[in-house]
Structures are given as structure tokens and as C-alpha cells.
Amino acid sequence: MDRDYEKIPLKTRIFNAIKKWIMVVLNPRLLLCLFVAWMITNGWSYVFVALGTLLDITWMVVTGTAYMSLLWVPFTPEKILTVVIAIFLMRAIFPKDQKTVAVLKEELKKLKRAYIAQRDKRREKRNHKKSQNEC
């Protein structure tokens, strides 16, 4: 199947991938779950800062700002956590919408396969260099 897929022109493959992701991301159920997940992980801090500023509540401004500053630290896994929570909510709230979850699972499998192939390629290069250095 991968060989047939590689026979398709690159432009067509890119277009098909973008089309698939747009269809998944613009799914109203997934958008709702992503919004709720975002509110759980980040959104509350923005609400705290806005309301705290409007109503002059210092502790809300300080708490929201402190959390937002943590979000901007490099390598913060909040986006990953947001997506995981959204998928969990999608399964819990919309259990019959298996199409979106199936597409996400398939894409995750593809990413895992690509990562494993790349990792094996790096290991092979490393082992090849070691064997050349030993000679």
C-alpha cells in the first residue's frame, strides 16, 4: 500500500493530507471538545486576568498571569495535554462519533511508524559509523 501511495504526486498527497486534517479539525464536536479542554488547561487563566482587571481583583490577575507565564516556558506540554483531554472528552461525550477518533488514531499510528523508521535509520547509521571506526 505504501508503494501505491508513493506513486501519487507529492502535490496530491499534500492536498489530501491537508483536506483530511481540515475535515477533522473543523468537526463541530471536536471543536467543542478542544474548546472545553483548552478552557480546562489554559482558558481559565485568561478569564482570570480579564475579570480580575475589569473588577480590580488582584489575586485573580496575579494567579492568571503567573499561570500564563508558566505556559510560555519552553517545552511546556500543555498543548499535548489539551489534545489528550479533548480526545478523552470526545470519547466520553460523543461515543458514537468513531469516525473522527478513528482518523486521529490512524494518524497517530502513521506518526509512530514514521518515528520508528527514522529512529531505526539513525541507529543503523550510528552502528555503521562505529563499525567503520573499529576497523
Side-chain angles (χ1 to χ4, degrees), residues 48-104:
F48 266 35
V49 171
L51 284 178
T53 303
L54 286 173
L55 302 174
D56 199 26
I57 303 172
T58 308
W59 71 267
M60 282 180 114
V61 174
V62 169
T63 304
T65 307
Y67 185 77
M68 279 194 282
S69 67
L70 288 175
L71 293 176
W72 289 95
V73 172
F75 309 112
T76 305
E78 56 87 20
K79 288 181 183 36
I80 296 168
L81 188 61
T82 302
V83 171
V84 169
I85 291 171
I87 292 172
F88 171 76
L89 289 172
M90 183 96 178
R91 285 182 174 172
I93 298 171
F94 304 108
K96 293 185 180 183
D97 187 10
Q98 293 299 316
K99 184 178 177 184
T100 305
V101 175
V103 169
L104 292 172

Side-chain angles (χ1 to χ4, degrees), residues 26-64:
L26 293 182
N27 179 343
R29 294 179 196 108
L30 183 62
L31 285 175
L32 174 67
C33 292
L34 279 170
F35 175 73
V36 172
W38 181 79
M39 285 302 291
I40 291 170
T41 57
N42 303 343
W44 65 267
S45 63
Y46 291 95
V47 171
F48 266 35
V49 171
L51 284 178
T53 303
L54 286 173
L55 302 174
D56 199 26
I57 303 172
T58 308
W59 71 267
M60 282 180 114
V61 174
V62 169
T63 304

